Amino acid sequence: MTTVDERGVAEFFEGFEPPDGLKVELLRGEIVMTASPDLVHNRIVTMVQDQIPGKRWERLQTQDVDIVSEASEPVPDLVVMERGAGPESGRLLPSQLITMVVEVVSKTSAARDYGVKRSIYAAGMVPAYLIIDPIMAQCVLLTRPVGKGEDADYQRQQITKFGAPLPLEELGLELDTSEFGTFSGVRPHRYP
């Protein structure tokens, strides 16, 4: 049996070509593959993107993010950064350039979105992490990242039920959540 360290996994991940229809992320040295998202998921991402003014903010879907000092390359559902702040090209976007990441919880991603990704984005000092949860019909906005590695977390957490407006101070806007869809027949979870 061969032992592969996190750097070796990261090097393997760089050249890895996933099968069609799968989203692939590197989360703390673990390669995670998930099926393509549900329509509810995709519609929510589109609704959020449409509410963020494109003249001031770049809104990038499924952009690979480089978390400094982590063996992680998450692929958020939406990345928001100031227009012109990012590089002209490249696969990885440095986390320090990002203002907000958005993850829409899928039927199988609640533990990752509320757990390891929360810690990873905080370790990357992403100012705002918005979890949109169609299972629980709520948004969880996390701000004020602190700490390093697995101990990193957000100091502030705000929960907003679907239908109520969600102030996004980091972007200077209020998000309308009234048309966000929900999954039916999915067992509720206990996060955040």
Side-chain angles (χ1 to χ4, degrees), residues 116-176:
V116 70
K117 286 188 176 183
R118 176 178 177 147
S119 173
I120 288 171
Y121 293 137
M125 292 294 138
V126 175
Y129 173 27
L130 177 60
I131 302 169
I132 302 175
D133 190 339
I135 297 171
M136 304 304 288
Q138 67 185 13
C139 297
V140 179
L141 178 62
L142 302 164
T143 56
R144 299 185 192 148
V146 294
K148 294 181 180 183
E150 292 182 20
D151 294 328
D153 200 359
Y154 286 91
Q155 291 181 314
R156 184 168 182 243
Q157 174 178 288
Q158 174 186 343
I159 299 173
T160 303
K161 288 293 188 185
F162 285 6
L166 172 59
L168 296 175
E169 294 173 15
E170 290 73 19
L171 304 182
L173 61 92
E174 191 171 81
L175 192 65
D176 178 2

Side-chain angles (χ1 to χ4, degrees), residues 9-140:
V9 172
E11 288 172 5
F12 168 80
F13 187 71
E14 275 186 43
F16 180 68
E17 288 294 325
D20 287 342
L22 290 179
K23 176 181 173 180
V24 180
E25 300 176 282
L26 181 63
L27 304 176
R28 293 226 162 93
E30 181 179 347
I31 296 173
V32 178
M33 292 189 278
T34 54
S36 295
D38 186 277
L39 277 172
V40 168
H41 178 284
N42 287 341
R43 287 177 177 140
I44 289 172
V45 173
T46 300
M47 283 185 247
V48 172
Q49 181 174 326
D50 288 349
Q51 292 183 59
I52 299 171
K55 287 187 177 185
R56 177 166 180 211
W57 302 102
E58 276 194 76
R59 302 132 333 144
L60 306 170
Q61 291 188 31
T62 62
Q63 173 63 53
D64 294 25
V65 173
D66 185 18
I67 306 292
V68 177
S69 77
E70 291 276 320
S72 297
E73 295 177 16
V75 183
D77 294 315
L78 188 66
V79 171
V80 181
M81 66 179 175
E82 287 202 44
R83 185 155 293 288
E88 290 298 315
S89 66
R91 183 180 69 79
L92 290 171
L93 180 64
S95 63
Q96 62 267 29
L97 302 178
I98 297 171
T99 302
M100 182 175 80
V101 293
V102 178
E103 294 283 6
V104 178
V105 176
S106 71
K107 296 173 184 177
T108 60
S109 73
R112 276 189 310 277
D113 292 338
Y114 283 104
V116 70
K117 286 188 176 183
R118 176 178 177 147
S119 173
I120 288 171
Y121 293 137
M125 292 294 138
V126 175
Y129 173 27
L130 177 60
I131 302 169
I132 302 175
D133 190 339
I135 297 171
M136 304 304 288
Q138 67 185 13
C139 297
V140 179

